[in-house]
Amino acid sequence: MERDSNCTQKDLQTIPEDFRLSAYTYELPEDQIAQYPADKRGSSRLFIINRESGENHTAMFADLGKYLPKDALLVVNNSKVLPARLFGNRPSGGKVEFLMLTPLPLVTPVEHGEWKSATVEGLMRMSKRVKIGTKAEFGNDLWIEVTQTAEFGRCEATINWRGELKEHFLQQGHLPLPPYIKREDTTADKDRYQTVYADDSQLGSVAAPTAGLHFTEEMRDKLSQSGIEWAEVTLYVGYGTFSPVRCDDIREHSMHKEFIELSEETAQKIAKAKAEGRPIITVGTTSSRVLEGAFNEVGSIAPFKGWTNIFIYPGYKFNVIDHMITNFHLPESSLLMMISAFASKQRVLEGYAEAISQGFRVFSYGDSMLIL
């Protein structure tokens, strides 16, 4: 694996185990990497880790309400996935693929008559090396020119378009399914790779907040009737969520940044729940990153809107969340490190081994985990 430029060569024995990249691996049969969602939304399995008792249990996600603490506040990420992957051609005729990484609401257009332009970040792939000045066309009303190149295929580009940029992506874009899903996106993914509570006004993620994919509207209603409160935050999931940590000492990792929004309404709900001694349960690592990232920026539970590059790994003290619902994460990923900080690396990896031995499906379209 290609190394980050900021990684240094170290004797692995000098790195404490919790900070050693190679400690975040586990045995995973390839056929347990879910290539498609469960037949019905909400029909996935649930693996429960209880940090207090040290016991693990298995259940169905549809029965989640039986295991949640009384009067809990569920915090979800309401961002919506943009079909941000475009296929086009270079002026010479060569094929080009471009994945826009800048969240759509953060694209700031400059008008040039009937045309508009903006600077965006992205990933470009073609048969030749991407260079500054490389151009690509995506129909008659959208074209891109690379202005800067960076590591691991990233680039900065000027995107030029006529009409509405959102419509170009909705009409010709493809959902950027994770690299471990070895197929092209389908019509079914347009529904199943979105949460039922994804907000149209928060369209701009390049990956789904996958812990929320298991929820149905019926489940939401049942949880509400049982006294579970609901709150929403926004994190525009970036492609960096799939990027492996590349440093032998994870403390040297340069964490990707993502744009987050914690509203006044949600901040007040969280503060009220805390004051009343009610537990905060985040749905997914993205919701967890919003709450902990905002706290890190502000120093309290308060509204925040901006970027976070918070990297949570063992040794981190959680300030806001009490429990977490999450999917199973890739080996050597920052997400696995986050939940290892939350529940201890040993307990998480032991739980993974047990769940995998029981045939649990993993990653974005896989089964779910509840950490109590």
Side-chain angles (χ1 to χ4, degrees):
M1 180 172 63
E2 191 176 352
R3 296 170 62 88
D4 278 331
S5 57
N6 63 307
C7 300
T8 58
Q9 291 282 358
K10 288 187 176 180
D11 179 351
L12 295 183
Q13 300 307 311
T14 67
I15 305 172
E17 184 176 336
D18 275 353
F19 306 139
R20 195 181 306 154
L21 178 62
S22 58
Y24 293 89
T25 57
Y26 57 90
E27 296 279 332
L28 175 61
E30 192 169 336
D31 62 2
Q32 286 177 241
I33 300 174
Q35 298 298 305
Y36 294 89
D39 291 339
K40 291 179 63 177
R41 193 189 291 270
S43 65
S44 51
R45 299 169 73 190
L46 179 67
F47 190 86
I48 304 165
I49 291 179
N50 191 309
R51 294 175 294 167
E52 189 173 327
S53 69
E55 296 178 346
N56 300 332
H57 302 281
T58 60
M60 298 303 295
F61 191 83
D63 296 325
L64 174 70
K66 296 179 182 178
Y67 304 97
L68 297 182
K70 184 181 177 182
D71 297 329
L73 173 64
L74 274 183
V75 182
V76 304
N77 179 9
N78 64 9
S79 71
K80 190 166 187 176
V81 184
L82 177 74
R85 190 177 174 213
L86 298 173
F87 294 95
N89 298 281
R90 298 175 63 205
S92 61
K95 301 291 185 183
V96 174
E97 177 183 337
F98 182 76
L99 175 62
M100 188 171 77
L101 300 180
T102 300
L104 191 64
L106 302 185
V107 174
T108 306
V110 176
E111 296 195 13
H112 312 276
E114 63 176 339
W115 285 86
K116 298 174 185 175
S117 68
T119 299
V120 297
E121 281 192 88
L123 294 170
M124 183 173 280
R125 183 185 300 169
M126 58 187 198
S127 59
K128 296 184 178 180
R129 186 168 67 88
V130 176
K131 301 177 181 178
I132 293 174
T134 296
K135 295 181 180 180
E137 300 168 347
F138 305 89
N140 296 323
D141 299 316
L142 179 67
W143 63 279
I144 289 170
E145 181 175 2
V146 174
T147 54
Q148 290 185 33
T149 58
E151 291 184 305
F152 313 120
R154 287 178 174 264
C155 67
E156 186 178 276
T158 301
I159 185 168
N160 307 271
W161 71 94
R162 289 189 291 200
E164 292 295 324
L165 184 59
K166 179 176 79 170
E167 292 305 316
H168 286 295
F169 281 99
L170 292 177
Q171 290 172 16
Q172 63 174 308
H174 290 258
L175 287 170
L177 294 178
Y180 45 76
I181 293 182
K182 306 296 185 183
R183 62 177 177 82
E184 293 299 315
D185 62 315
T186 66
T187 303
D189 292 309
K190 291 181 180 179
D191 172 55
R192 297 300 300 276
Y193 199 59
Q194 302 279 12
T195 63
V196 294
Y197 48 80
D199 189 332
D200 288 338
S201 69
Q202 310 291 16
L203 176 68
S205 285
V206 298
T210 56
L213 296 180
H214 308 283
F215 284 87
T216 64
E217 291 291 1
E218 181 184 13
M219 276 194 69
R220 282 191 61 182
D221 291 341
K222 285 178 65 176
L223 290 171
S224 176
Q225 291 167 13
S226 69
I228 301 296
E229 193 179 7
W230 186 273
E232 298 184 0
V233 296
T234 302
L235 179 145
Y236 294 105
V237 189
Y239 203 73
T241 193
F242 302 118
S243 297
V245 175
R246 292 181 167 91
C247 297
D248 293 331
D249 186 332
I250 67 172
R251 293 170 294 184
E252 295 181 341
H253 175 61
S254 295
M255 191 65 176
H256 62 283
K257 64 179 184 178
E258 289 170 316
F259 196 83
I260 63 175
E261 297 180 32
L262 174 58
S263 68
E264 176 76 39
E265 178 186 4
T266 295
Q268 287 180 357
K269 283 185 177 181
I270 294 169
K272 184 172 184 287
K274 284 285 189 187
E276 295 171 349
R278 295 159 46 218
I280 309 300
I281 305 176
T282 47
V283 177
T285 55
T286 61
S287 300
S288 304
R289 197 176 192 210
V290 173
L291 299 194
E292 297 298 324
F295 191 97
N296 188 58
E297 293 292 334
V298 180
S300 63
I301 299 171
F304 177 77
K305 185 174 183 177
W307 294 94
T308 182
N309 65 348
I310 190 171
F311 179 23
I312 298 175
Y313 54 86
Y316 177 84
K317 177 184 177 297
F318 285 83
N319 295 290
V320 185
I321 71 176
D322 299 300
H323 310 291
M324 189 190 304
I325 299 167
T326 184
N327 277 17
F328 292 83
H329 303 294
L330 278 74
E332 299 187 348
S333 66
S334 62
L335 306 182
L336 181 58
M337 293 164 193
M338 177 192 286
I339 65 166
S340 295
F342 191 64
S344 93
K345 179 170 63 62
Q346 180 179 347
R347 186 166 292 162
V348 166
L349 292 179
E350 287 175 354
Y352 271 41
E354 184 178 339
I356 289 167
S357 72
Q358 295 181 23
F360 273 65
R361 301 161 75 242
V362 300
F363 304 162
S364 293
Y365 273 147
D367 292 312
S368 182
M369 173 181 282
L370 169 63
I371 303 175
L372 294 172

